[in-house]
Amino acid sequence: MRKKVTKAIFPVAGMGTRFLPATKSVPKEIMTLVDRPLVQYAIDEARAAGIKEFIFVTSRGKGALEDYFDHAPFLEQELRKSGKTDLLDALKATNMESGAIAYIRQHRALGLGHAVWCARRLIANEPFAVILPDDVIAAETPCLEQMIDAYEETGGNMVAAMEVPADKAASYGILDVEEDMGSVVSVKGMVEKPEVGKAPSNLAVIGRYILSPSVLTNLNKMKSGAGGEIQLTDAIAQDIGTENTVYGYRFRGQRFDCGSKAGFLQATVAFALARDDLRDDLLRYLQEMVQLDKAAQ
Ligand code: G1P
């Protein structure tokens, strides 16, 4: 039997400069999609996949993130007193078990690979997940859960994958596919942010990973790659062809790039439209906007 994946790393040390001035005082991960912070979507997805230990790799200025995960007994008491059970339930759903969360500081911004490596002592010698909260995935079965099911068959390392337009490949880690088995592909190479026209395919890595601890050993070499950063993609690629070889997993679901403003807004609209209490009003408003826009053309 394969060892269960019960630990997940959430790299959240980035400064979120693309969202300045908002991120001057609010960590990007606390910015809200409808009424839940970005990070809550990542946590919920991890929980659904059976994750029990949540490791955040943070940096200076991320204090609000730690506060967010504290229980709020006074607030709970107030809501209970005033009979606001819906809000009380919403609040309680964010409570984490004591000791389930750990925070590690990434002292220098040396790249995603380095951020993951910072958590090595908490991972020790077992497979682990990595979730990039910027990539929000709406799916009937949460993406990481789909991957864990597939991983139980394959073992090794597994990365979420999605086809992207050729002119966007330079923004991603790209897979060089060895064998395409449908939702699972085996991989013979991986390139982080390939130069335009040099991508081996248009199958991109999306921010969900199930990794073998061997990737942490590979990261010990501290080799810098694309953009002069220590890249997670490169450390995973080193395992290709070993007993921990690499698979891509084409997930079922819609991915939003919440690291970009356009992606964040699209996710906001999509998640709001999925809510019974918001859908009708928002849809009406959007239809009006589209008509006004057409009329103005
Ligand atoms: C990171 C990874 C990249 C991956 C992407 C997915 O890049 O390095 O391989 O394709 O996330 O969102 P970043 O977006 O942090 O530049």
Side-chain angles (χ1 to χ4, degrees):
M1 255 259 296
R2 256 178 240 303
K3 209 159 182 337
K4 276 218 169 324
V5 181
T6 59
K7 297 181 180 178
I9 300 177
F10 301 79
V12 291
M15 295 204 296
T17 45
R18 277 196 267 181
F19 285 91
L20 279 171
T23 45
K24 198 175 153 197
S25 67
V26 180
K28 182 178 57 176
E29 299 74 22
I30 293 291
M31 286 173 42
T32 53
L33 281 180
V34 188
D35 50 15
R36 293 194 304 156
L38 214 50
V39 70
Q40 189 65 51
Y41 291 84
I43 289 279
D44 289 349
E45 185 178 328
R47 272 175 165 166
I51 298 299
K52 304 277 182 255
E53 289 180 53
F54 305 79
I55 303 161
F56 284 83
V57 182
T58 68
S59 59
R60 191 178 294 273
K62 298 282 178 168
L65 201 60
E66 296 192 26
D67 289 346
Y68 174 77
F69 288 115
D70 260 354
H71 290 209
F74 183 69
L75 192 53
E76 284 183 18
Q77 196 186 343
E78 289 300 307
L79 292 173
R80 201 173 295 115
K81 257 200 262 166
S82 51
K84 294 187 173 148
T85 46
D86 283 6
L87 292 178
L88 184 63
D89 290 346
L91 193 63
K92 278 187 170 167
T94 66
N95 283 352
M96 303 291 286
E97 206 186 311
S98 295
I101 304 195
Y103 303 94
I104 297 273
R105 280 272 175 118
Q106 184 187 23
H107 295 114
R108 289 201 293 155
L110 295 178
L112 177 60
H114 178 261
V116 167
W117 178 82
C118 287
R120 66 200 177 281
R121 294 208 170 84
L122 294 179
I123 297 295
N125 197 26
E126 47 188 288
F128 60 99
V130 177
I131 296 190
L132 309 186
D134 271 2
D135 281 332
V136 174
I137 301 175
E140 211 162 288
T141 304
C143 180
L144 190 64
E145 190 180 338
Q146 294 177 35
M147 288 173 71
I148 297 238
D149 284 348
Y151 167 83
E152 269 163 19
E153 300 291 318
T154 62
N157 290 291
M158 181 171 276
V159 300
M162 180 182 103
E163 327 307 312
V164 296
D167 64 336
K168 295 278 187 306
S171 307
Y172 295 91
I174 298 289
L175 302 180
D176 193 356
V177 174
E178 182 178 55
E179 194 186 343
D180 195 332
M181 296 161 275
S183 51
V184 176
V185 303
S186 64
V187 167
K188 61 175 182 229
M190 293 173 83
V191 195
E192 180 66 19
K193 308 215 166 61
E195 280 173 43
V196 176
K198 293 210 176 139
S201 76
N202 64 342
L203 195 56
V205 176
I206 299 302
R208 304 289 182 276
Y209 307 78
I210 300 173
L211 299 178
S212 148
S214 52
V215 171
L216 297 173
T217 315
N218 300 341
L219 282 167
N220 281 335
K221 294 178 199 140
M222 293 285 156
K223 241 180 105 217
S224 57
E229 297 189 340
I230 298 167
Q231 296 291 352
L232 184 58
T233 300
D234 297 344
I236 299 170
Q238 279 183 46
D239 271 359
I240 294 172
T242 70
E243 57 178 348
N244 299 319
T245 200
V246 181
Y247 299 90
Y249 179 79
R250 286 194 186 92
F251 55 93
R252 300 177 301 280
Q254 191 179 4
R255 174 258 185 176
F256 297 95
D257 174 11
C258 290
S260 79
K261 286 176 210 171
F264 199 97
L265 291 169
Q266 286 159 14
T268 303
V269 173
F271 281 94
L273 288 177
R275 289 256 303 245
D276 290 345
D277 57 334
L278 300 172
R279 184 182 165 79
D280 292 350
D281 279 354
L282 180 61
L283 203 54
R284 205 171 306 122
Y285 174 72
L286 290 174
Q287 280 159 347
E288 277 167 26
M289 292 293 283
V290 170
Q291 271 162 14
L292 279 177
D293 197 53
K294 271 197 194 141
Q297 276 170 19

